[in-house]
Amino acid sequence: MRIRRISAAVAITAAGALAISACAPGGSTGDNGDDSGLVEGSSITAAWNQAFYSMNGNTSFGNATANNNINYLVLDGFNYYNNTPELVKNESFGSYELVSEDPLVVTYTIADGVKWSDGTDVDAADLLLNWAALSRSLDTPDFDPGEFTDPETGEFTDAFPTDVVYFDSGATPDAGLGLVSKTPEVSEDGKSITLEYDKPFVDWELSFPSPLPAHVVGKKALELEDAAEAKQAVIDAIQNEDAAALAPISSFWNGGFNFTAMPDDPDLVVGSGPYVISNFEADQFITLTANPEYAGENSPNIEEITIRFIPDPLAAVQALENGEVDIIQPQATADLVTALDAIDDITVATSLGGTYEHVDLQFDKGKNPENIFKDPKVREAFLKTIPRQEIVDTLIKPIIGDDAILRDSQLFVPGAEGYDESAASNTSADFAEVDIEGAKALLAESGITDTSVCILYASNNPRRVNEFSLIQQSAAEAGFEVTDCGSEDWGGLLGTPGAYDASLFGWQSTSLGVTNSLPTFQTGAINNLNYYSNDEVDSIVAELNTTFDSAKQIELQAQMDKALWEDFYGVTIFQFPEVTAFSGRVEGIESSILAPTVFWNAWDWSVTGAE
């Protein structure tokens, strides 16, 4: 018998997130005689629509859902979101203490017995490197890496200067760890660091993500063999602001953990989470195995989880029906829902997700020789041609019915407090329907001679292919020559100069913080991949970062939303429908509205024994 569950999505904040009400499942007891719940020899297979390519999700290159789903399970941290969603302190990894509110001072301490998967202790060296990378306080001033980025891959080229300190974290001096300009103090026992913020930061509790192994970075960057020596070398380089050592350290932090198949060097997959990467076949699958050194509270039940990369939603459904995979959460399409309806003995959960579809325009360094979207008239003209309502009606409504609506805000989720007021006061209504004649007039006024617009999108995603086709046809009526920059490797190209003129993809909410979406729009921030810069927007971002009053936060976000639409930043289209399906072989599957969605509690998954 087929089981179908439909979850209603409910907005609970104005900070760019939705939430579904659900209970977090508990772990099961295994048959191996200990209390961990791990069942020796147990294995399952899940599917995802994009291949993994970086174990560092804190760079502009690696910051992608496909990477962070895996990194969430192999790199432990101080907190995470459950599927309520609420922030859970992970005190088995470490604790953090608010020492002072004014000035804002926070101490992070690693718990006793926490080790990397190679047996090395996790300690203050890892935390200090995390600060250096995510604050960029030690970076070489005024360095621009743009000319050293490969337009084909999005990675830094071999011509990148070897004497430059540059951490590719997108940190800015008025948000997150960018506000911690002074080098943190390290405790005498080497397990804690204390950070003092230059000014209060509203989401300080979310500003310190999972660290990477400092001993691995030190060994590779400084050509050292001993882990303890390498850790100390990293500490010394940071505390002494030694640019000669920090240059190779930053370079390795940026690119050393990028790989598209199982690396020959086992140091590159050293992790601290419940799982470690044990096998990786390029473009096929990645396998995670229970970390034998993990002693935290989130010990897994299943020994091995393999994640197959299946971009085509219908192929994922076929794999589920054939028993080749146990869990899928593909890009939702009408055909997908129909196909799932025909399968017995599976559970399907459908809801609105925390991801939204949008089109962004390149404000600088686009592919068009005339840098077409520097002109606001051309930006407005192009946005008038995007068939937002047609995309929703033809591609999304068949999946979730009348719940499929246009999203009319860059910052607020439909249904969230502040959304209706912001949508009414911004200019999104000007782009609700296609206006070809208005676009033609603006294009003529601009004087632009090269109307080519190359759009970057996931070429192996059927829904995005359909969206691209609809946009291409509509824009052509106004005189734009829309060309295809689609790529299977689109994620790594988003921040690459000269790679495209417009992009079509989805942003996924990772937290409930008020600053969750701000790095997308702030000049130079990690998610600002289209070289957007607006003084008014930057000023609002800086104020939001230090505003603790919720009513004022909503007011500021509405002001920012209005400014973005009036600047023709791009258009939002729809909130993603989310479909999770799994077989009777597994239990404990409860997706979250926030990233990493279905993987948030993978340690609680268990095998039922059913076939």
Side-chain angles (χ1 to χ4, degrees):
M1 176 175 124
R2 185 177 176 281
I3 304 169
R4 183 176 184 84
R5 297 182 309 178
I6 302 179
S7 302
V10 181
I12 63 168
T13 76
L18 291 173
I20 50 177
S21 178
C23 296
S28 61
T29 301
D31 58 5
N32 60 345
D34 61 28
D35 296 328
S36 70
L38 182 69
V39 178
E40 293 181 2
S42 59
S43 65
I44 66 164
T45 302
W48 196 255
N49 59 34
Q50 185 184 357
F52 175 89
Y53 59 90
S54 178
M55 209 168 110
N56 189 351
N58 288 315
T59 65
S60 62
F61 175 78
N63 181 28
T65 301
N67 297 324
N68 291 334
N69 288 343
I70 307 302
N71 295 333
Y72 175 82
L73 297 174
V74 302
L75 296 171
D76 217 1
F78 288 96
N79 53 37
Y80 62 93
Y81 278 97
N82 64 18
N83 70 330
T84 302
E86 61 187 359
L87 192 65
V88 178
K89 291 183 177 180
N90 183 15
E91 294 185 346
S92 62
F93 176 79
S95 59
Y96 49 92
E97 177 188 2
L98 182 62
V99 178
S100 167
E101 291 186 352
D102 188 16
L104 179 61
V105 178
V106 184
T107 295
Y108 289 87
T109 303
I110 297 297
D112 293 337
V114 178
K115 295 182 179 295
W116 293 100
S117 57
D118 63 359
T120 303
D121 287 340
V122 179
D123 58 23
D126 307 301
L127 306 184
L128 196 62
L129 175 60
N130 214 29
W131 165 80
L134 298 175
S135 71
R136 295 182 55 199
S137 293
L138 305 178
D139 277 18
T140 301
D142 302 321
F143 173 71
D144 181 1
E147 63 181 290
F148 306 107
T149 305
D150 187 336
E152 298 298 322
T153 67
E155 295 186 270
F156 292 141
T157 66
D158 292 338
F160 196 96
T162 58
D163 60 346
V164 166
V165 181
Y166 180 79
F167 287 98
D168 181 34
S169 67
T172 58
D174 52 9
L177 293 185
L179 286 166
V180 184
S181 60
K182 185 168 63 175
T183 302
E185 294 182 8
V186 176
S187 64
E188 290 186 7
D189 64 2
K191 297 184 68 172
S192 302
I193 67 169
T194 298
L195 294 75
E196 181 177 332
Y197 284 73
D198 300 332
K199 55 185 176 180
F201 178 61
V202 64
D203 285 331
W204 66 267
E205 203 169 358
L206 304 173
S207 63
F208 204 89
S210 303
L212 288 163
H215 68 288
V216 172
V217 174
K219 286 166 68 175
K220 306 307 172 185
L222 304 177
E223 299 181 351
L224 300 171
E225 295 184 2
D226 181 72
E229 184 182 357
K231 284 199 292 187
Q232 189 58 51
V234 170
I235 292 174
D236 291 344
I238 293 171
Q239 291 182 333
N240 297 331
E241 300 185 16
D242 181 355
L246 286 170
I249 286 172
S250 64
S251 177
F252 189 86
W253 187 90
N254 291 337
F257 295 97
N258 297 340
F259 48 87
T260 56
M262 194 66 186
D264 293 331
D265 186 349
D267 281 352
L268 301 186
V269 293
V270 168
S272 57
Y275 286 94
V276 292
I277 297 171
S278 56
N279 195 11
F280 184 10
E281 187 72 30
D283 298 320
Q284 298 297 317
F285 66 84
I286 192 166
T287 299
L288 310 180
T289 301
N291 179 359
E293 294 290 342
Y294 183 76
E297 294 178 357
N298 296 325
S299 296
N301 298 323
I302 298 172
E303 186 169 30
E304 186 176 275
I305 297 175
T306 295
I307 295 138
R308 284 184 54 189
F309 311 130
I310 308 179
D312 188 332
L314 291 179
V317 173
Q318 188 66 59
L320 179 65
E321 184 175 19
N322 294 344
E324 298 166 13
V325 301
D326 303 295
I327 306 167
I328 65 172
Q329 194 178 73
Q331 294 269 329
T333 66
D335 290 341
L336 169 80
V337 174
T338 301
L340 287 173
D341 281 338
I343 305 175
D344 293 328
D345 300 321
I346 65 170
T347 299
V348 180
T350 305
S351 68
L352 281 176
T355 304
Y356 67 93
E357 193 83 331
H358 60 100
V359 172
D360 290 350
L361 307 181
Q362 275 284 19
F363 280 68
D364 194 15
K365 305 179 183 179
K367 190 177 182 70
N368 181 295
E370 294 185 43
N371 210 12
I372 188 169
F373 290 132
K374 253 196 165 176
D375 187 328
K377 289 183 178 179
V378 183
R379 296 200 298 271
E380 183 180 6
F382 188 72
L383 298 185
K384 283 180 176 291
T385 71
I386 296 177
R388 299 169 68 215
Q389 190 64 55
E390 184 181 4
I391 290 171
V392 170
D393 290 344
T394 59
L395 301 179
I396 308 304
K397 278 191 176 180
I399 305 171
I400 55 175
D402 290 339
D403 286 338
I405 59 173
L406 286 178
R407 171 168 164 154
D408 287 328
S409 172
Q410 295 281 1
L411 298 176
F412 295 91
V413 172
E417 184 181 2
Y419 174 83
D420 290 341
E421 294 79 4
S422 187
S425 64
N426 66 31
T427 57
S428 60
D430 294 349
F431 308 99
E433 300 290 343
V434 168
D435 179 6
I436 298 300
E437 294 307 314
K440 285 181 177 178
L442 285 165
L443 199 56
E445 289 175 22
S446 73
I448 196 84
T449 58
D450 186 339
T451 64
S452 62
V453 176
C454 204
I455 299 181
L456 175 67
Y457 65 98
S459 60
N460 54 356
N461 182 314
R463 187 174 71 200
R464 296 256 166 78
V465 172
N466 290 332
E467 289 180 67
F468 168 77
S469 179
L470 290 172
I471 294 171
Q472 183 182 48
Q473 293 169 27
S474 180
E477 294 181 29
F480 287 101
E481 182 189 353
V482 173
T483 57
D484 194 335
C485 273
S487 170
E488 294 186 9
D489 301 318
W490 62 276
L493 295 172
L494 281 170
T496 303
Y500 62 96
D501 300 303
S503 58
L504 170 66
F505 68 104
W507 278 124
Q508 184 177 56
S509 295
T510 60
S511 81
L512 299 182
V514 69
T515 61
N516 177 55
S517 59
L518 303 188
T520 304
F521 309 107
Q522 183 184 20
T523 302
I526 186 171
N527 289 344
N528 187 336
L529 305 172
N530 57 336
Y531 301 94
Y532 179 70
S533 183
N534 179 306
D535 290 342
E536 180 185 359
V537 169
D538 287 346
S539 176
I540 295 172
V541 168
E543 189 173 355
L544 268 167
N545 285 335
T546 60
T547 298
F548 289 79
D549 178 79
S550 58
K552 182 64 174 176
Q553 290 171 353
I554 292 175
E555 179 186 331
L556 288 168
Q557 288 177 93
Q559 291 176 19
M560 182 172 164
D561 198 24
K562 188 171 186 288
L564 290 166
W565 283 94
E566 290 178 347
D567 205 13
F568 314 114
Y569 172 88
V571 292
T572 52
I573 306 176
F574 59 83
Q575 205 71 26
F576 269 45
E578 184 176 278
V579 178
T580 307
F582 54 94
S583 73
R585 283 194 68 244
V586 292
E587 60 184 4
I589 314 300
E590 291 284 352
S591 190
S592 173
I593 200 80
L594 301 176
T597 59
V598 72
F599 295 101
W600 82 267
N601 71 329
W603 49 77
D604 281 333
W605 297 350
S606 58
V607 178
T608 64
E611 295 297 335

